[in-house]
Amino acid sequence: MRKILLCTMFLLSATLRAADYLPKDYTWDSQSRNSSGSMPCGGGDVGMNVWVEKGDLMLYIAQSGWFDENNTLLKAGRWRLHFNGDPFVQGNFRQTLCLADGSVTVTGKDLEVRIWADVFFPTVFIDMVSSKTRSARISYESWRYRDRQVTKAECQQCSYKWLIPKDCMTRADQITAGDDTLSFSHENEEKTVFDFTVSYEQLDSIKEQLYNPLAHRRMTGIMRLPGFSFAGTSDSIYAATDYRAWHYDCQRLRRSTLSITLDSGDPTHGTPPAHAKASRKRSARWWHDFWQRSWIIAGENQPEAAHILRNYELFRYMLGCNAYGHWPSKFNGGLFTFDPVYVEQAGDDGQPTNPFTPDFRKWGGGTMTAQNQRLVYWPMLKNGDIDLMASQWDTYLRLLPTAVARTRHYWNHGGASFTEQLENFGLPNPAEYGKHPAGTDPGVERNAWLEYEWDTALEFCQMILLAKEYADGDYSRYDPLITECLRFFDEHYQYEARRMGAKALNSDGKLIIYPGSACETYKMAYNPSSTVAALQAVTAKFPNSPLAAERIPDLPLQVIQGDTCIAPAVVWARIQNTETPQLYPVFPWRIYGLGRPGLQTAINTYQKDPHAIAMRDSKGWKQDNIWAACLGLTEEAKRLAIAKWADGPYRFPAFWEPGFDWAPDLNRGGAAMTGLQEMLLQESPDAELILFGAWPKEWDVTFRLHATGGRVVEGTLRQGVATHHLVTTH
């Protein structure tokens, strides 16, 4: 381990300056077979999948917040551009993602098409330039041209899951063609899955107090096509889904720019651009500045590290595409899901595994699995992307009144109860909530994996508290969220103790956290380590905590092979999943780690706990790579980083397979990104910087990352020696 403590700026680096850095373009020179070979593009709160298939340039467009009556996250539609003369023939074809300005360019022998999303207003531009006059057709394709029955197998895409009503439908969009415009919209009815959930969870008496973002939500779009004229409709099938296409033709195309403006029904954060040129300029400037915030660059002749860091950049671009969404980036595909028939291999019978519409994804559209969501957002702190985190925090803030009202209704005490598998209206997913026979506690999810798992919201509280340390800004609007999350544990576990006939606090004056849950894994747990560490860490950073630090239990320990280790809990009844909560005190809670007391105890836990060893993996949301880095286990961190950053099975390297969830798997990318950052930069409890604490000496690297105290840290490692270091404040 190489440890360098930096407190002030002490050496100007002769290496690449931040203002000089822009990532290289990413290019394909052949067309794709189908949408699984698509390339991401986006900005603001819009994401696109772009690919060329059999000579047609195709796009899916999605915007944060398109939640239908069943809480499916809808795509706005699919666009198909066909040009006569077959300009995209092999040998003349290039498709390029320009990360520096956030655009995708497709070029042929005499045609260039540039696509981008405005960062400050939800508008997509498609700029077409041809060196010769040609005809062209642009088609808008919708599978929601009619009401569609949602099948039982398909219902994973929405909030009903296996509680699907017999009449569950995705209602048809309204699509209207004008001479050179096309408008489309989807408006929810008043009654939605929200109403079903409220009744199912016995909350009708407080229904008016609960947040409802679904009733009458109206999502709209308008496409403007100067130089094109409406040419009729046709019906067809793509990827096993029938659709209707609205065609617009241009007989003499030389140059044209069409635009598609979306409205999810949520507030927008900016103003429309005056014209396409202004949009391209201001969006390119945003992306340029985005890349200056942080970077990690492999040294020359470092193919292994360079491959990892290239995928790091590609994934960071995907996160940047929902920088300012009203809703956070979904862990299960974000805005970049593609036709589900291409996500997984066909079954043994040769039939498609997921023969559903492009709106499909597993684990829901408006359902948030916080254990997964958190991994998407943790790396944004060190990337300097705190502005991207607001959509996740603001979602919890919108749900706070519901969480408080729910707590009061069920148990008549204070605090906010945020469950796992949380809906975007603040209640537990109804299918995961379970059945509640008479006499059972209606506030608890009767679910083998999720029961008594209350603590996931605390990670987002900790992110907010750390944001105050990383950057200047007023985050006080989130204080009520942190307060009520802590208040819940204080009051609820005193309530539980009294309900079971015990004193509210034990003989040492501490809470008895039972029944508890150590993640989804160690169930019916007494003082689970993940919860205890969370309460200790958040309370330590929040001076106005309603939960006194002295009432928080001690972390449970155990002895394995003669060595002290962190225990998952004092005791537990069963093991349900494959998480490793005994290492949560390392990350995210940073009670143990490099430069911190008790490091060997945490290393013992990683290396000797048979459960931790058996559950170790690089798949999906697994975070063993983060723990290895935080503990300075360099070779282990390297091994897991290589596995975590391996190319996904689809054409775009950062489109990872579903793992435990759906493709592209964003929580895998977030865990991979966090682990890589920890290999390069950590902090001791007194904020001294630890550089290259788990970085392999054979990987030359230069990086720029953020730290507490508003510090921006640059470092260079060459041949195992740290040669340049720079710390500035912003």
Side-chain angles (χ1 to χ4, degrees), residues 568-626:
V570 176
V571 291
W572 57 90
R574 68 183 190 278
I575 294 177
Q576 194 69 37
N577 206 337
T578 60
E579 297 151 321
T580 314
Q582 54 268 54
L583 285 166
Y584 276 51
V586 176
F587 180 87
W589 302 117
R590 300 188 185 279
I591 293 170
Y592 298 96
L594 291 180
R596 297 173 183 274
L599 174 62
Q600 191 58 50
T601 296
I603 293 175
N604 294 341
T605 308
Y606 187 93
Q607 294 180 335
K608 295 192 173 186
D609 187 315
H611 294 168
I613 294 169
M615 295 171 183
R616 189 154 299 145
D617 203 344
S618 61
K619 179 181 177 182
W621 41 252
K622 292 286 187 174
Q623 57 188 54
D624 299 273
N625 63 309
I626 304 176

Side-chain angles (χ1 to χ4, degrees), residues 52-327:
V52 176
E53 177 182 346
K54 298 179 180 178
D56 289 347
L57 195 163
M58 302 179 69
L59 299 89
Y60 279 120
I61 302 181
Q63 184 188 17
S64 167
W66 279 54
F67 302 115
D68 77 351
E69 45 275 305
N70 306 316
N71 224 0
T72 300
L73 182 54
L74 305 176
K75 287 192 179 295
R78 182 173 57 234
W79 280 258
R80 184 187 300 264
L81 285 71
H82 179 81
F83 303 92
N84 76 320
D86 195 14
F88 299 136
V89 294
Q90 305 294 5
N92 293 293
F93 173 84
R94 287 177 67 85
Q95 179 175 335
T96 299
L97 171 59
C98 180
L99 290 97
D101 67 11
S103 68
V104 166
T105 301
V106 181
T107 57
K109 56 186 178 182
D110 49 27
L111 175 70
E112 178 179 284
V113 182
R114 182 181 294 271
I115 302 161
W116 73 93
D118 190 277
V119 172
F120 302 99
F121 198 78
T123 300
V124 169
F125 291 93
I126 304 175
D127 186 52
M128 299 163 284
V129 180
S130 178
S131 62
K132 68 176 186 180
T133 301
R134 66 170 68 247
S135 62
R137 167 167 283 191
I138 298 175
S139 304
Y140 171 72
E141 300 176 352
S142 174
W143 48 96
R144 296 194 303 273
Y145 69 94
R146 61 177 176 86
D147 287 355
R148 303 189 75 97
Q149 181 82 37
V150 181
T151 67
K152 184 176 182 180
E154 194 175 10
C155 220
Q156 267 274 358
Q157 71 185 27
C158 70
S159 295
Y160 286 113
K161 293 187 180 178
W162 50 87
L163 292 179
I164 179 173
K166 291 181 180 180
D167 60 346
C168 186
M169 305 285 288
T170 299
R171 299 298 177 187
D173 292 357
Q174 296 296 314
I175 304 171
T176 305
D179 291 339
D180 60 356
T181 61
L182 180 135
S183 61
F184 48 93
S185 64
H186 187 100
E187 184 169 0
N188 296 344
E189 298 175 347
E190 180 177 1
K191 190 173 182 180
T192 70
V193 69
F194 166 83
D195 302 272
F196 171 86
T197 304
V198 169
S199 294
Y200 189 71
E201 297 180 7
Q202 306 174 45
L203 295 167
D204 283 305
S205 64
I206 61 167
K207 186 174 184 178
E208 296 306 313
Q209 301 177 43
L210 307 180
Y211 175 59
N212 181 0
L214 299 182
H216 297 300
R217 173 176 282 267
R218 188 167 188 265
M219 296 81 76
T220 65
I222 183 167
M223 178 168 62
R224 297 179 175 86
L225 305 97
F228 287 74
S229 56
F230 180 60
T233 66
S234 65
D235 295 340
S236 189
I237 293 176
Y238 180 83
T241 302
D242 65 292
Y243 67 88
R244 179 162 295 163
W246 282 255
H247 304 296
Y248 286 80
D249 289 347
C250 178
Q251 300 303 321
R252 299 183 58 80
L253 175 71
R254 290 297 294 267
R255 177 158 197 163
S256 181
T257 302
L258 66 87
S259 64
I260 304 155
T261 299
L262 304 176
D263 183 352
S264 65
D266 298 309
T268 55
H269 70 280
T271 57
H275 42 72
K277 186 176 180 181
S279 169
R280 184 175 170 187
K281 182 178 180 180
R282 73 180 188 178
S283 297
R285 169 52 57 186
W286 186 90
W287 281 107
H288 180 277
D289 293 344
F290 176 77
W291 295 112
Q292 309 319 309
R293 297 175 180 183
S294 63
W295 35 259
I296 308 174
I297 308 166
E300 295 182 3
N301 302 316
Q302 300 282 325
E304 194 170 52
H307 183 84
I308 287 173
L309 295 173
R310 181 55 163 169
N311 285 352
Y312 182 102
E313 283 183 332
L314 296 178
F315 178 68
R316 185 163 177 244
Y317 171 76
M318 292 166 60
L319 295 181
C321 290
N322 190 33
Y324 301 128
H326 192 70
W327 299 91

